[in-house]
Amino acid sequence: MQEIIRWKVIPINEPNVIRNCSKCGGKAHFENSKKFRVNANQSKLDVWLIYQCKKCKTTWNMTILSRVNPKEIPNNQYKWFIDNDKELARFYAFDADTHRRNGSILDYHEIEYTIEGKTLDIQALKEKVTILLECEEVFTIRMDKVLSRQLEISRAQVRSLVEKGILSSREEKKLWKAKLKSKMYIDILPQ
């Protein structure tokens, strides 16, 4: 029976945001403060996630909800906003749609990550193995980096193995160029 190995990519930190800073006078990196601002305006609520410029500490409020009836927000989520829930702040820090609506650009360059799951000795494989690669918080990282790390080979070797058909993906033809997705299957044939 074919072995299925599960790898889970877990970001350690959150992406910074690139946007104009009013004090710095140009593009700057902002980091997530993990704090929400909730404001009631008559019968409507606004919710923002507060970011702070890494250079001058100017704050920027990223809109999460705007002019929403409080009854439309689940009670537990409203409480999480009020309590500055760190997991909810992390969710919005990775939410590309929210950032797109706010005109901010996510910067993944400083993201560090771990990979849960065993490394493989690709030379010792006797039969086909399928990797189920999962990532809850999708961020831009090339698959050749992930594969070289877990297979303990160079990125050039990853590309060579893809071109030879030893490494393949159901989702991507050029696996070495592909970006990480929330779920991917990667097949590895014995050499």
Side-chain angles (χ1 to χ4, degrees), residues 66-172:
S66 180
R67 305 284 184 244
V68 174
N69 184 328
K71 293 176 183 173
E72 294 175 21
I73 304 171
N75 282 340
N76 57 345
Q77 190 175 24
Y78 178 76
K79 182 177 177 353
W80 294 337
F81 287 136
I82 297 298
D83 292 343
N84 293 316
D85 183 83
K86 291 189 183 337
E87 289 302 312
L88 189 59
R90 182 178 174 90
F91 168 80
Y92 284 112
F94 280 95
D95 188 29
D97 290 334
T98 301
H99 285 279
R100 198 174 304 110
R101 283 193 308 274
N102 279 274
S104 57
I105 300 166
L106 288 168
D107 180 14
Y108 299 108
H109 288 95
E110 294 179 23
I111 290 221
E112 296 176 26
Y113 61 93
T114 61
I115 302 173
E116 288 181 355
K118 67 179 183 178
T119 57
L120 287 178
D121 180 357
I122 198 165
Q123 304 296 328
L125 287 182
K126 302 287 186 229
E127 58 184 30
K128 179 180 173 182
V129 172
T130 297
I131 305 294
L132 170 56
L133 183 64
E134 298 175 302
C135 184
E136 289 177 16
E137 293 129 339
V138 177
F139 59 102
T140 304
I141 185 167
R142 285 178 46 152
M143 286 303 304
D144 59 349
K145 282 187 173 183
V146 174
L147 291 169
S148 70
R149 186 169 170 173
Q150 285 302 96
L151 298 174
E152 298 178 333
I153 58 176
S154 72
R155 290 166 66 183
Q157 287 173 300
V158 168
R159 181 177 180 160
S160 175
L161 292 173
V162 170
E163 289 172 341
K164 291 176 183 174
I166 293 169
L167 274 175
S168 63
S169 168
R170 301 167 193 177
E171 295 83 14
E172 296 287 339

Side-chain angles (χ1 to χ4, degrees), residues 16-53:
N16 290 318
V17 169
I18 300 172
R19 59 172 288 107
N20 284 325
C21 177
S22 58
K23 281 191 183 170
C24 293
K27 298 276 185 201
H29 284 82
F30 285 72
E31 61 188 345
N32 183 355
S33 71
K34 298 177 183 64
K35 292 185 177 16
F36 292 96
R37 179 174 170 218
V38 179
N39 186 40
N41 188 350
Q42 295 177 359
S43 63
K44 302 291 183 186
L45 278 179
D46 295 313
V47 178
W48 299 274
L49 178 58
I50 302 169
Y51 277 80
Q52 191 173 50
C53 178

